[in-house]
């Protein structure tokens, strides 16, 4: 068995996933710095989700990789002249991208899934399996069992927001004494979009008691405008990037969203979260909210959330409300 060197000065972590994946990998960044406080930590990130790593205090450097057909050439170009003491890829299944990155990275030691180890006689340590496959946080932090089996780490993800961003958001929102309910109406795919009729019904019910703030992707602005026209106590909170969205979440009382990165931002601030998921139990187990006061509503007819009933979501909201 390969022994981990007692002194490691440079570490690289590969995380080319989406925003939610990056957020849920932040406990790994914290733990690496705790185990190797004198090390320099580099995160190899997607150019979109890398914003989370760039503002994280445990991360010293971010290598941004553009997505698309040029991703692998970009990885090769970015990594072929880099050298590290330790390279970590926590992906728990075969990935051509992971395999190519491991081939070109120059590192004394590489922790990686055995299927992603290229045949180039590198110094590899097999990534242990998570049995049963658990939450993404547990997958992302699996390498810690190799680095230090006795180490107890904090599983909660983290997002860091500058005072400037928080002040800017605070100037745009108004919160009454009962608190702000933040509703995210956008999703990365149509399968995770709830119907306009259901959103209207939910907003109508909740706005009788609370202020409602809607956040969305710019492409859903028209829908957001229609939803806000339903009730006076509802308004759009415009955000320019994911950090501004996080600043809104930080000020919320309860967050309602389908299965998106907004759920994981809620976990980072331990905000009560009501999340809508399609009927894919393995995905629910992997990406469910980690907030202490959270509820999940799962569709009953397949991989779309549009069949989730408004009444069921409202019922789960009241269950969260009772815990406050």
């Amino acid at each position: 068995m390969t022994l981990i060197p007692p002194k490691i000065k440079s570490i690289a972590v590969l995380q080319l996933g989406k925003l939610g994946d990056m957020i849920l990998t932040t406990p790994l960044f914290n733990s690496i710095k705790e185990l190797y406080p004198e090390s320099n930590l580099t995160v190899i990130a997607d150019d979109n989700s890398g914003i989370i790593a760039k503002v994280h205090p445990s991360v010293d450097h971010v290598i941004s990789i553009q997505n698309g057909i040029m991703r692998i050439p970009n990885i090769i170009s970015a990594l072929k002249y880099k050298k590290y003491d330790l390279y970590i890829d926590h992906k728990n299944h075969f990935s051509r991208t992971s395999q190519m990155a491991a081939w070109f990275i120059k590192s004394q030691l590489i922790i990686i899934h055995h299927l992603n180890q290229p045949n180039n006689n590198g110094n590899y340590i097999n990534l242990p399996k998570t049995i049963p496959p658990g939450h993404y946080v547990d997958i992302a932090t699996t390498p810690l069992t190799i680095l230090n089996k006795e180490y107890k780490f904090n599983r909660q993800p983290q997002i860091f927001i500058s005072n400037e961003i928080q002040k800017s958001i605070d100037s745009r929102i108004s919160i009454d004494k009962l608190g702000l309910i933040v509703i995210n109406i956008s999703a990365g795919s149509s399968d995770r979009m709830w119907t306009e009729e259901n959103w209207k019904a939910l907003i109508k019910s909740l706005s009788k008691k609370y202020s409602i703030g809607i956040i969305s992707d710019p492409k859903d602005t028209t829908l957001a405008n229609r939803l806000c026209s339903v009730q006076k106590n509802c308004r759009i909170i415009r955000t320019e990037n994911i950090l501004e969205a996080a600043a809104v979440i930080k000020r919320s009382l309860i967050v309602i969203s389908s299965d998106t990165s907004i759920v994981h931002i809620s976990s980072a601030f331990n905000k009560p979260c009501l999340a809508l998921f399609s009927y894919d139990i393995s995905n629910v187990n992997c990406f469910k909210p980690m907030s202490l006061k959270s509820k999940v509503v799962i569709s009953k007819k397949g991989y779309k959330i549009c069949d989730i009933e408004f009444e069921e979501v409202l019922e789960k909201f009241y269950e969260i409300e009772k815990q406050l």
Side-chain angles (χ1 to χ4, degrees):
M1 179 179 178
T2 303
L3 296 177
I4 305 296
K7 291 186 178 180
I8 295 178
K9 295 183 179 180
S10 59
I11 303 172
V13 173
L14 183 72
Q15 175 48 281
L16 294 173
K18 297 179 180 180
L19 278 164
D21 299 341
M22 181 64 78
I23 293 167
L24 295 175
T25 306
T26 55
L28 177 64
F29 306 154
N30 294 334
S31 300
I32 285 173
K33 276 295 187 174
E34 288 182 8
L35 291 173
Y36 303 99
E38 311 246 337
S39 67
N40 187 289
L41 175 59
T42 295
V43 176
I44 305 158
D46 178 87
D47 59 352
N48 182 42
S49 61
I51 188 173
I52 301 299
K54 287 177 180 178
V55 298
H56 198 287
S58 293
V59 178
D60 300 291
H61 183 57
V62 174
I63 298 176
S64 295
I65 306 294
Q66 290 185 343
N67 207 342
I69 59 174
M70 293 298 292
R71 166 159 283 198
I72 289 182
N74 288 337
I75 291 173
I76 295 171
S77 176
L79 299 186
K80 64 181 179 180
Y81 297 118
K82 299 291 191 300
K83 294 182 179 180
Y84 301 97
D85 295 331
L86 174 63
Y87 172 73
I88 297 173
D89 181 350
H90 66 262
K91 190 176 289 291
N92 65 345
H93 57 269
F94 172 72
S95 164
R96 180 67 65 187
T97 301
S98 288
Q99 195 175 70
M100 291 296 293
W103 179 278
F104 285 95
I105 199 83
K106 293 178 177 63
S107 179
Q108 293 183 30
L109 195 61
I110 297 177
I111 298 176
I112 193 170
H113 192 280
H114 69 94
L115 292 177
N116 295 326
Q117 297 174 12
N119 187 22
N120 63 351
N121 299 317
N123 193 7
Y124 298 109
I125 296 181
N126 291 338
L127 191 69
K129 294 181 180 179
T130 52
I131 304 175
H135 198 279
Y136 192 93
V137 161
D138 300 314
I139 296 171
T141 54
T142 300
L144 297 175
T145 63
I146 296 172
L147 298 176
N148 189 324
K149 288 185 177 181
E150 307 302 320
Y151 174 69
K152 303 297 182 183
F153 64 94
N154 185 351
R155 292 176 73 249
Q156 185 175 3
Q158 290 181 311
I159 295 178
F160 292 87
I161 305 167
S162 69
N163 290 333
E164 182 181 2
I165 289 178
Q166 191 64 64
K167 287 179 180 178
S168 175
I169 288 298
D170 289 348
S171 69
R172 297 180 224 168
I173 61 178
S174 58
I175 304 174
D176 62 23
K177 62 181 180 180
L178 293 177
L180 177 69
I181 307 301
V182 173
I183 294 179
N184 168 48
I185 63 170
S186 296
S189 66
S190 58
D191 292 350
R192 290 180 285 166
M193 292 288 287
W194 209 28
T195 66
E196 180 174 344
E197 292 73 19
N198 279 326
W199 281 128
K200 284 182 177 179
L202 184 65
I203 290 169
K204 185 176 180 179
S205 294
L206 298 184
S207 61
K208 295 175 182 177
K209 183 176 181 180
Y210 297 101
S211 294
I212 309 297
I214 292 182
I215 58 175
S216 72
D217 188 276
K219 65 180 176 60
D220 296 318
T221 299
T222 301
L223 171 60
N225 285 329
R226 290 200 301 268
L227 293 175
C228 280
S229 66
V230 176
Q231 295 294 327
K232 293 181 179 179
N233 218 18
C234 177
R235 58 172 295 188
I236 297 172
I237 303 175
R238 303 195 185 279
T239 57
E240 297 296 326
N241 54 53
I242 197 66
L243 296 180
E244 288 196 350
V248 175
I249 300 301
K250 190 175 181 180
R251 294 293 189 245
S252 67
L253 179 67
I254 300 174
V255 179
I256 304 173
S257 175
S258 63
D259 173 23
T260 69
S261 60
I262 297 300
V263 172
H264 310 310
I265 293 173
S266 302
S267 298
F269 297 114
N270 197 25
K271 290 292 180 177
C273 179
L274 175 52
L276 282 60
F277 278 80
S278 63
Y279 189 75
D280 181 348
I281 301 305
S282 62
N283 182 69
V284 174
N285 290 336
C286 192
F287 294 108
K288 62 187 177 183
M290 298 176 65
S291 309
L292 293 178
K293 299 172 184 177
S294 61
K295 296 290 180 181
V296 171
V297 184
I298 305 173
S299 66
K300 299 178 177 63
K301 300 178 182 177
Y303 295 98
K304 295 184 178 182
I305 71 165
C306 58
D307 70 306
I308 294 177
E309 299 290 341
F310 144 72
E311 291 83 4
E312 187 177 4
V313 174
L314 188 61
E315 180 182 351
K316 293 295 183 180
F317 177 89
Y318 290 145
E319 290 179 12
I320 293 176
E321 187 183 45
K322 291 178 181 179
Q323 299 178 44
L324 299 181

